[in-house]
Amino acid sequence: MTAETEADTDFAGYVDDVGPDLLAYFVRRVFPTEDAADLVAETMIVLWRRQSDLPNERDSARAWAFGVARQVLRNYRRAGARRLALTDALRSQLQSLPPSNAGELRVELSRALAALREVDRELVLLVAWEGLSLELAAVSLGIKAPAARARYSRARAKLREVLG
């Protein structure tokens, strides 16, 4: 057995040991509880990526896993808060539109967004809907900040052109 195979086996045993405890942790803390499995998966990815940091002692390794799970849960809650805030903002904007124009506006906006290249559309949506700064959106898309600024500027000009 190679050292790598042994490490994989050790990590698999660790996952088997701590996985049910992490699932219970998330089930008790999130609603809907169906999200708990996704959060366990996210936690396991972080644990796998950082397995070289895993403490050797069983109880310490378990506690470390809960620390990682806590950070995953905090990210989940922050994202949920951002989604709620965005939903409320969009709802109030949509409610202020005359009912006869709301559907037309959605169709027109969808058409305008479809006119953009996929990466440019995602950049615009990350900034406008997700509330990311251009710099953070650039990181999310794996592009440099100056490129994101140029793309964003061109995308906005294209949207203005398409929307008239």
Side-chain angles (χ1 to χ4, degrees):
M1 184 181 279
T2 66
E4 188 174 303
T5 306
E6 188 176 317
D8 289 343
T9 302
D10 289 347
F11 186 73
Y14 172 67
V15 166
D16 289 343
D17 186 41
V18 76
D21 295 337
L22 291 175
L23 181 60
Y25 172 87
F26 286 121
V27 164
R28 288 189 288 265
R29 287 168 175 78
V30 299
F31 183 82
T33 55
E34 292 82 11
D35 289 352
D38 293 334
L39 294 171
V40 170
E42 286 182 45
T43 303
M44 291 300 179
I45 290 169
V46 174
L47 294 175
W48 180 75
R49 287 182 183 149
R50 296 190 52 209
Q51 62 184 300
S52 62
D53 298 333
L54 186 65
N56 291 328
E57 200 271 315
R58 182 186 182 279
D59 288 339
S60 296
R62 186 171 179 272
W64 184 71
F66 281 111
V68 171
R70 182 174 172 270
Q71 293 305 316
V72 169
L73 181 60
R74 289 178 69 204
N75 290 340
Y76 169 82
R77 288 179 174 159
R78 278 194 300 268
R82 283 192 304 269
R83 276 191 303 275
L84 285 175
L86 177 62
T87 300
D88 289 345
L90 290 173
R91 185 175 290 124
S92 69
Q93 288 177 0
L94 289 174
Q95 287 174 346
S96 68
L97 296 174
S100 61
N101 292 346
E104 293 172 22
L105 181 60
R106 283 188 205 116
V107 169
E108 192 173 340
L109 182 56
S110 294
R111 184 178 56 81
L113 287 168
L116 298 176
R117 291 181 25 213
E118 183 180 344
V119 68
D120 295 342
R121 180 174 48 250
E122 187 61 20
L123 177 63
V124 168
L125 295 176
L126 285 171
V127 172
W129 287 358
E130 309 308 329
L132 294 182
S133 68
L134 273 172
E135 291 76 18
L136 291 176
V139 169
S140 176
L141 294 171
I143 60 177
K144 296 189 183 308
R149 282 191 289 278
R151 285 176 179 268
Y152 188 70
S153 179
R154 285 192 303 269
R156 288 183 59 190
K158 178 73 172 180
L159 288 173
R160 279 192 295 273
E161 174 188 317
V162 172
L163 291 171

